[in-house]
Structures are given as structure tokens and as C-alpha cells.
Amino acid sequence: MIDTFGRSITYLRLSVTELCNLRCRYCMPAEGVCKKRHEEMLSQEETLTAIRAAASLGITKLRITGGEPLVKPNIVPLCREAATTAGIRELCLTTNGLLLPKLAAELRGAGVDRLNISLDTLDAGRYRSITRGGSLKDALDGIETALAAGFDRIKLNTVLIGGFNDDEIPALAELTRRWPVDLRFIELMPMPGNREFGPESFIPCSVVTDRLKDLSPVAEDGGVAKLYRLPEAQGNIGLISPVSAHFCATCNRIRITADGRVKPCLHSAAEYPLKGLDEEGMREVLRAAILGKPQWHGELSYEARSRAGRNMNQIGG
Ligand code: SAM
């Protein structure tokens, strides 16, 4: 479908749970989420119906996210069904990687094409601190297992946080020489629940090109990242700048939350409920959401915070 600003909407990011086995400080509160009643969330059948409805409107790329999608029971059968939905050409999944040692091979067998794995630091103490208790070793084991399971073009996602991991830019970039992966630095977004991060935390991706003098630009691949490469690297360095240089003019995505709300824009409070509808009903709601997609997400800064009304774990990053 083409929205009212001429953008072709082909990409759905679908959150399958708000729950997570980590508590990243910029993403969710320390106490986790107030568990919603089962009946408030999309059922597995409704989730698959929503995927079919979205595919019938021209969605070709589907990303499963959360919360942490791998904590969801039945994630493998869900991926298998999603991968065979008519119209879906690419099935991706975003994960913190902790459960990949158990699930990577099964996900691959179920038809997941690509993985994005979050990794904000290579320091075990910092990892424990930013995730409120996670183990860096488990995350690294997850990446190694995914590579061994045959996933190629894995993307590692690093949220760039001033005063926390900007001194690790060279070490993190070096991972593109160690493994055949892309490493993407993503600007920290000012969500409702991450006010503990002061203005100094919100640094632009331009610090990466300032620090890494031997980066060469690489042709864009149709995604939102500006791409670069280190000499002799096996993968690219991507810079994703939703705060300093938004990409709303070419935004091709919509989101569906685990409780069944279509969010046409990550930073808008507008939500369109799907819960309880049949495929035709969902199609109509999705159509209305796409036509209601705003032109841009508005000013974003430490002062001008996201108007999303939810934290990232409740939207699906
Ligand atoms: N649990 C999975 C994971 O860790 O990748 C998937 C969900 S998580 C919400 C998806 C992505 O959103 C992660 O890469 C995370 O770092 C990113 N994210 C969460 N909050 C963010 C924020 N305030 N700014 C930028 N990225 C954020």
C-alpha cells in the first residue's frame, strides 16, 4: 500500500511479547512489565491472521521482535507459519541472543532468514549493568551459535550511549573483522521510561565516523543505515540516526504490538486495535493505520521526548 505521503509500506515489525529475560535500562523498567492478562494479548491464531492480513496489503518483509521474542513459548512454530505466509518474502527476528544456543538451529529450520542481535558492550561488567543482570558470555555464545547454525548477514545492534559505550566504538567495530557480521550503531531514543539517561547520553552517530578514521562509505542496501566498512572487514558498519537525521521520508514500516495495536509510527501515540477481529476486519484496520501514518515522528531530543506513550519493550524495537 502507498500511504498519503507516497511511501510504499512493505515492512511489518511484529512484537510477540512484552516480556524479556533482560531489563535494559534504556528499554524497560527495573521491575519488568506489569503482566497483562492473557486475553488482552493477541493469541497465536490472531497473530498469524494479522500477518496474513498485512501480507495481503503488500507487506513483504516481517520482523518478529518483542520484548524478547525467544522467551515466547511456541516461537518456533509461529516463525514456521509466518515464513510460509503467502506474500512474506523475508522473515527476520530481533533478539538479545541469550536463548540462541538453544534455539538458533530450530529457528533456521523454521525459515527465519535473518537475525539482528543486540550487543551494547564488550565489557562483562557494563553488560551486567546496562541489562540489569545479563551475562555477556551468554550473548556472545548466542552470536557464535547463530553463525554456526548457518545464519548469514547477521546484524549486531549497538545502542550508542554517551559516557557508557562511546569509548568502545573501535572494539565493537572490530567485530566486523572477527566475524562475518554487520555492526550497527543506533542512536539512543528518548522514550518515556528512560529519563535516567541525561542529555550527555544522547550522542549522534557522527561520533562513530569521527572516531574511526579508516572507514570507507559503502553503497546503501535499501535499509535505514548509512553504511561504511573497515579495511579487511567481513561486514559493514551501519549508522542509524533516528534522532539526529531522521529517515521518516523513506519509512516503509508499520508495527503491531503484542497486545494487538497497530502503530503506524514508532513515536506517535496513535494506535489501531486488532484484537478480536477476523482477517477482513484486521485488513481494514491495517489499511486505516497505513493511511493514518504521520509524515514524520516529530522533534526528538532529550527535551522533546517520544510521544509513543509506551516503552520500547511494549512497542517492539
Ligand atoms: N529483546 C530483543 C533485543 O534485545 O534485541 C528485541 C526487542 S528490543 C526492544 C529491540 C531493539 O530495540 C534492541 O536492539 C534495543 O537495543 C533497541 N532499543 C530499545 N530501546 C531503545 C532506545 N530507547 N533507543 C534505541 N534503541 C532502543
Side-chain angles (χ1 to χ4, degrees):
M1 262 186 79
I2 308 289
D3 77 358
T4 50
F5 301 97
R7 296 168 297 199
S8 177
I9 307 302
T10 54
Y11 181 12
L12 169 63
R13 296 169 80 103
L14 174 74
S15 173
V16 294
T17 180
E18 296 182 359
L19 306 179
C20 191
N21 46 359
L22 294 178
R23 295 279 180 276
C24 295
R25 291 175 185 277
Y26 52 76
C27 186
M28 66 192 292
E31 62 279 12
V33 287
C34 170
K35 242 183 137 182
K36 292 186 175 143
R37 284 179 304 124
H38 192 62
E39 312 84 75
E40 291 175 71
M41 314 310 278
L42 282 191
S43 67
Q44 189 99 334
E45 204 38 62
E46 285 174 317
T47 303
L48 292 169
T49 305
I51 295 171
R52 280 196 298 277
S56 74
L57 292 176
I59 295 294
T60 56
K61 176 174 175 179
L62 174 64
R63 175 173 303 284
I64 308 277
T65 182
E68 172 50 45
L70 301 190
V71 303
K72 186 176 170 66
N74 294 331
I75 186 65
V76 174
L78 183 111
C79 289
R80 188 173 297 116
E81 289 283 326
T84 54
T85 301
I88 298 299
R89 290 194 214 130
E90 194 179 4
L91 176 62
C92 310
L93 185 140
T94 300
T95 173
N96 57 34
L98 301 191
L99 293 173
L100 284 174
K102 196 171 136 218
L103 290 172
E106 279 186 78
L107 291 168
R108 184 103 186 99
V112 175
D113 297 302
R114 314 266 316 258
L115 291 178
N116 285 9
I117 307 176
S118 300
L119 184 69
D120 295 333
T121 173
L122 290 169
D123 177 282
R126 287 183 186 181
Y127 188 89
R128 203 176 312 114
S129 164
I130 197 75
T131 61
R132 296 194 180 100
S135 151
L136 175 66
K137 182 180 178 308
D138 290 350
L140 296 177
D141 285 351
I143 296 168
E144 301 263 13
T145 318
L147 287 165
F151 281 102
D152 57 4
R153 299 186 298 152
I154 290 175
K155 292 176 178 168
L156 304 182
N157 284 343
T158 299
V159 179
L160 192 56
I161 306 172
F164 171 72
N165 60 6
D166 48 331
D167 62 336
E168 292 188 67
I169 290 170
L172 287 158
E174 202 52 38
L175 294 177
T176 64
R177 288 193 172 120
R178 173 167 159 196
W179 291 316
V181 298
D182 286 2
L183 189 289
R184 289 128 44 98
F185 291 101
I186 304 172
E187 288 175 355
L188 175 64
M189 291 183 276
M191 305 306 288
N194 62 20
R195 287 174 187 276
E196 74 168 272
F197 292 88
E200 68 291 347
S201 304
F202 294 85
I203 56 173
C205 273
S206 54
V207 301
V208 175
T209 43
D210 290 347
R211 301 267 166 92
L212 301 176
K213 296 294 180 203
D214 47 356
L215 281 182
S216 311
V218 169
E220 286 178 24
D221 63 356
V224 296
K226 276 202 159 35
L227 299 178
Y228 299 85
R229 208 169 175 99
L230 288 173
E232 279 101 53
Q234 306 183 64
N236 294 328
I237 304 287
L239 305 185
I240 303 182
S241 310
V243 179
S244 71
H246 69 83
F247 34 83
C248 303
T250 55
C251 182
N252 61 350
R253 32 181 98 169
I254 54 169
R255 291 176 153 81
I256 299 178
T257 64
D259 58 350
R261 308 291 170 127
V262 186
K263 277 186 95 70
C265 171
L266 169 56
H267 296 297
S268 158
E271 297 182 352
Y272 298 70
L274 294 176
K275 181 78 194 158
L277 300 178
D278 63 10
E279 187 175 330
E280 184 49 35
M282 288 192 186
R283 198 166 14 253
E284 284 318 305
V285 170
L286 281 159
R287 204 190 303 276
I290 290 171
L291 294 176
K293 187 172 167 72
Q295 187 167 19
W296 78 301
H297 61 42
E299 198 61 47
L300 268 189
S301 68
Y302 175 71
E303 293 82 19
R305 306 191 75 82
S306 171
R307 288 152 296 279
R310 296 170 177 244
N311 289 320
M312 285 296 273
N313 70 294
Q314 292 183 301
I315 300 172

